[in-house]
Amino acid sequence: MFLLAVGHACVDVYQGAVAALVPFFVAERGYSYAAASGIVLAASLLSSVVQPLFGALADRWAMPWLLPVSTAVAGIGVALSASGGTYAMTLAMVAVSGAGVAAYHPESARVARVASAGSHTAMGWFSLGGNLGFAAAPLLVAAVVGAGGLRAAPLLVVPAALGSVLCVLALRATRMPGRAGARVVSGAVRDDGASFLKLSLVVVCRSLVFVGLSAFIALYARERVGGGEVAGSAALFVLYAGGAAGTVVGGGLAARWGRVRVVGWSYAAAVPAVAGVVFVPGPAFYLFVALTSAALYVPFSLQVTLGQDYLPTRIGTASGVTLGLTVSVGGLAGPLIGAAADATSLQAALAPLISLPALAWLLARALPEPTGPEVAGPEPAAAEAAPPGPDATEASPEGAEGVGPDAAPWEARGG
């Protein structure tokens, strides 16, 4: 799980890197707000379209090889996007990176769920890895592109190379089941499509707020506090880094109060936090950015496990929506925000985002707290000698020792 979490960080660097590159595109190439938002859209559009497809494929076939391959594609796309001279080339390469990200998340979430034996805590650490990758993105871009300009962007491929190696090592350390579906240990399972649809709308609301802010907050910080590109990179780092704390806190709160209740509280708290980002000037701007980040990230990993419990027979699809579309679909609103900013002001364009956490809170109130089925971990070593039969995805309650929702990853591997 540690290798999977660090690999997750390496691939999510490239989701954060696209937004971190926007101020440099504006400064070096003179892009307008609308043109800059088109770059974020390019990364999000293809990802949004193909993410459910990869989720469905992950439900049907085990494709662990996608983890290292998609990580490499994500890094190469971002590295080439900044080095390409034309706007069309930049959009194309960013779209390629988005496709790599889309391919990674459903399969990685399936692998992580099996490796962790369905532990909510372990999935929280897996999500934390992605959040840390987001947080590292503006620092990496500022260090590489800030020092050498866009011509130094090919160096951004280094995390992808590292992540690909870590994914291979993680897969070797994890004995995956012979078929794509996680093995149900006990209890009849049935999908709750209505609840999953409501949860998906909650995810969309969160994504619109988070991606909308991440696309423009670096530029907005320069207006609110001054300081040029340094102030913008600092604001983006705070937005991403606050998520690390939010993800860790979210798991502890959910253990005490329940996932659905914590998700609702988080979005209620996000309403005044986002309002502070939009309207409060001066250094306090960074405080509200941190509060917004924490409020939006507390429900992050909780939404992933909720989605998997609402669709226990389609883990890949659930993961593709709750883990992947959480980021990608918000980019679809980027051009609208950019066009509104060009026509009015960036503050006026960002103000409507305040209403979205309130809508997410209302939707979350209608969600039930599921009781997810227990999921078996990786195949025991003794089973390697025999190929999986037609019932390889099922196991009896006997032999399910140490695979409950709170089981530790090493216990799931028989350690």
Side-chain angles (χ1 to χ4, degrees):
M1 284 304 297
F2 174 77
L3 292 172
L4 288 171
V6 178
H8 192 190
C10 289
V11 77
D12 274 6
V13 160
Y14 298 105
Q15 296 200 74
V18 174
L21 285 168
V22 166
F24 296 97
F25 285 126
V26 172
E28 292 193 26
R29 299 181 182 174
Y31 291 162
S32 65
Y33 285 138
S37 64
I39 297 172
V40 179
L41 173 64
S44 303
L45 183 59
L46 186 59
S47 181
S48 299
V49 172
V50 303
Q51 192 99 234
L53 172 61
F54 280 112
L57 292 175
D59 287 330
R60 191 173 183 84
W61 296 290
M63 299 181 292
W65 55 266
L66 265 181
L67 271 64
V69 171
S70 59
T71 300
V73 170
I76 292 171
V78 164
L80 294 180
S81 70
S83 59
T86 66
Y87 185 67
M89 178 67 173
T90 299
L91 295 181
M93 291 298 99
V94 165
V96 167
S97 178
V101 170
Y104 173 85
H105 280 101
E107 181 65 16
S108 67
R110 184 191 71 83
V111 171
R113 181 177 174 90
V114 175
S116 67
S119 167
H120 302 320
T121 301
M123 286 298 293
W125 287 108
F126 173 72
S127 299
L128 175 62
N131 299 341
L132 293 176
F134 264 109
L139 300 179
L140 177 65
V141 170
V144 174
V145 181
L150 291 175
R151 64 181 179 275
L155 293 174
L156 295 175
V157 79
V158 172
L162 174 61
S164 296
V165 172
L166 292 175
C167 287
V168 171
L169 294 176
L171 293 173
R172 288 182 176 180
T174 305
R175 300 182 183 95
M176 299 302 297
R179 293 172 59 182
R183 295 171 292 147
V184 177
V185 173
S186 65
V189 295
R190 183 167 56 183
D191 291 340
D192 185 353
S195 295
F196 184 78
L197 177 59
K198 294 174 186 175
L199 178 66
S200 298
L201 294 175
V202 172
V203 168
V204 168
C205 289
R206 180 204 180 275
S207 181
L208 291 171
V209 177
F210 182 78
V211 180
L213 288 177
S214 64
F216 294 101
I217 199 165
L219 297 171
Y220 192 52
R222 294 160 65 177
E223 295 181 6
R224 305 301 286 174
V225 301
E229 293 175 355
V230 174
S233 295
L236 198 57
F237 172 75
V238 172
L239 180 66
Y240 292 163
T247 301
V248 174
V249 170
L253 293 176
R256 181 176 178 84
W257 303 104
R259 287 173 290 174
V260 170
R261 184 178 296 181
V262 172
V263 167
W265 289 348
S266 300
Y267 288 118
V271 176
V274 176
V277 170
V278 175
F279 294 112
V280 175
F285 170 82
Y286 290 106
L287 172 62
F288 283 102
V289 171
L291 293 174
T292 296
S293 177
L296 293 178
Y297 267 111
V298 163
F300 186 83
S301 65
L302 306 181
Q303 290 170 166
V304 176
T305 58
L306 280 171
Q308 292 175 337
D309 287 345
Y310 289 145
L311 294 185
T313 68
R314 290 180 287 172
I315 297 299
T317 300
S319 303
V321 174
T322 55
L323 186 60
L325 289 187
T326 297
V327 176
S328 60
V329 75
L332 302 179
L336 297 178
I337 298 174
D342 286 332
T344 56
S345 68
L346 195 49
Q347 184 182 63
L350 294 175
L353 298 180
I354 301 171
S355 64
L356 292 173
L359 178 58
W361 170 70
L362 290 174
L363 291 168
R365 294 184 65 188
L367 293 175
E369 183 72 48
T371 303
E374 295 183 0
V375 179
E379 302 276 10
E384 290 181 349
D391 296 326
T393 55
E394 298 180 356
S396 63
E398 294 80 5
E401 181 180 357
V403 295
D406 293 322
W410 53 87
E411 293 172 336
R413 291 196 295 269

